[in-house]
């Protein structure tokens, strides 16, 4: 708990990150002369970010929000056009901008020159935005979740295992793993254990389950409804939470 209190999000960090979003939003509207929006998702709106956490942003057009039509930042041409916009506005530290076009969700990555924060921008994708409400619901249901997620994310960051692009595991996945564990622990579900009073025990359960017991080759996780799902053949729920 001392560690969590030390690294948990502070008010001034919220302000700094929100200013980054607002400034980028203003510049995008001025440069492209459109009503495209820059929206944050992931650890920042969820209040689960570490002090050095990336800023996950998505640029969505009014056409995409209204009709699901993807028009902004599409293809190599769209990505490089946005990269040029970042360069022209001098937003990136040392003018270094990485365009990742081959990923399932294409990204533009750079370090913000003013704040030193790493920024990941995707385009015309609302999956992260939908997850924002889910995070808030989970925090209310499992008050221990933010503490456990923060600890595990820091362990991963210390070992360079927190970047999905480099083969690591992202904050969204960590959160899902923690929530699934809490959904399946009999002591938690029977309310014979208050998770916030047994954080060390649950952390060890997490490391043992996903480090020693859980078979990622054959098993997938469902959090709604809570279940483990067999990957081979037709999906079949074999352990209902």
């Amino acid at each position: 708990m001392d560690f969590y209190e030390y690294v948990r999000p502070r008010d001034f960090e919220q302000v700094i990150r929100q200013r980054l979003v607002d400034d980028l939003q203003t510049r995008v509207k001025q440069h492209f002369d459109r009503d495209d929006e820059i929206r944050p998702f992931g650890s920042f709106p969820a209040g689960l970010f570490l002090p050095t956490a990336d800023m996950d942003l998505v640029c969505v057009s009014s056409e995409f929000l209204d009709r699901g039509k993807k028009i902004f930042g599409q293809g190599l041409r769209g990505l490089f056009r946005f990269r040029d916009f970042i360069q022209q506005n001098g937003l990136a530290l040392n003018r270094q901008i990485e365009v990742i076009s081959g990923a399932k969700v294409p990204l533009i990555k750079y370090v913000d020159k003013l704040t030193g924060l790493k920024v990941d921008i995707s385009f015309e994708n609302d999956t992260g935005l939908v997850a924002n409400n889910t995070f808030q619901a989970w925090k209310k249901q499992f008050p221990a979740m933010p503490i456990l997620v923060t600890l595990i994310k820091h362990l991963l960051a210390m070992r360079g295992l927190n970047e999905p692009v480099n083969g690591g595991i992202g904050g969204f996945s960590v959160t899902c793993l923690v929530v699934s564990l809490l959904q399946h622990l009999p002591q938690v579900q029977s309310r014979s254990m208050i998770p916030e009073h047994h954080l060390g025990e649950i952390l060890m359960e997490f490391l043992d389950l996903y480090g020693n017991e859980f078979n990622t080759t054959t098993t997938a996780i469902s959090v709604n409804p809570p279940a483990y799902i067999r990957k081979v053949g037709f999906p079949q729920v074999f352990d209902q939470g």
Side-chain angles (χ1 to χ4, degrees):
M1 285 303 300
D2 287 342
F3 175 78
Y4 175 70
E5 287 298 320
Y6 180 71
V7 300
R8 70 177 177 82
R10 306 293 179 187
D11 290 343
F12 78 90
E13 292 176 309
Q14 294 276 359
V15 170
I16 289 172
R17 289 171 181 265
Q18 187 59 53
R19 283 181 181 171
L20 185 156
V21 176
D22 295 342
D23 178 60
L24 187 59
Q25 172 76 85
T26 300
R27 291 174 184 268
V28 164
K29 288 191 173 183
Q30 290 175 346
H31 184 88
F32 293 100
D33 194 24
R34 294 172 46 85
D35 288 330
D36 303 309
E37 295 187 27
I38 300 291
R39 296 188 180 183
F41 65 95
S43 62
F44 170 53
L48 297 173
F49 61 88
L50 297 177
T52 57
D54 296 358
M55 280 291 288
D56 294 312
L57 307 175
V58 59
C59 185
V60 287
S61 64
S62 56
E63 290 88 347
F64 178 75
L65 292 175
D66 293 339
R67 304 189 301 274
K69 184 178 180 181
K70 297 182 179 182
I71 63 170
F72 196 71
Q74 300 303 293
L76 280 175
R77 188 172 183 178
L79 291 172
F80 281 102
R81 186 183 178 203
F82 200 88
R83 182 205 63 179
D84 293 343
F85 149 74
I86 295 173
Q87 286 182 334
Q88 291 167 18
N89 282 266
L91 300 177
L93 183 66
N94 298 326
R95 301 180 64 83
Q96 294 184 353
I97 306 165
E98 185 178 3
V99 177
I100 302 176
S101 59
K104 183 177 180 181
V105 178
L107 290 174
I108 288 182
K109 298 170 69 74
Y110 67 95
V111 177
D112 182 64
K113 185 168 67 174
L114 184 62
T115 64
L117 295 170
K118 296 178 182 178
V119 180
D120 291 357
I121 302 179
S122 56
F123 302 88
E124 308 287 48
N125 190 333
D126 62 356
T127 53
L129 301 177
V130 173
N132 286 345
N133 293 331
T134 304
F135 279 133
Q136 298 305 323
W138 283 344
K139 285 174 70 175
K140 289 181 180 179
Q141 184 179 3
F142 300 114
M145 182 269 284
I147 305 167
L148 292 164
V149 168
T150 299
L151 210 65
I152 294 161
K153 286 174 68 174
H154 190 74
L155 286 172
L156 291 168
M158 288 171 64
R159 290 156 176 79
L161 298 172
N162 59 329
E163 285 275 5
V165 173
N166 300 322
I169 182 170
F172 178 75
S173 297
V174 171
T175 303
C176 288
L177 293 177
V178 170
V179 168
S180 178
L181 173 66
L182 293 171
Q183 289 174 335
H184 283 88
L185 277 178
Q187 313 94 297
V188 175
Q189 294 309 306
S190 66
R191 302 192 178 181
S192 62
M193 170 194 283
I194 300 176
E196 305 89 272
H197 296 173
H198 298 269
L199 294 168
E201 183 179 343
I202 295 176
L203 176 63
M204 296 307 293
E205 290 273 5
F206 178 94
L207 296 174
D208 182 52
L209 173 61
Y210 297 115
N212 299 323
E213 304 295 335
F214 195 86
N215 190 333
T216 57
T217 303
T218 62
T219 311
I221 286 173
S222 167
V223 290
N224 187 23
Y228 295 138
I229 300 175
R230 198 182 305 277
K231 284 185 177 181
V232 180
F234 293 102
Q236 177 185 358
V237 175
F238 61 90
D239 183 12
Q240 188 70 32

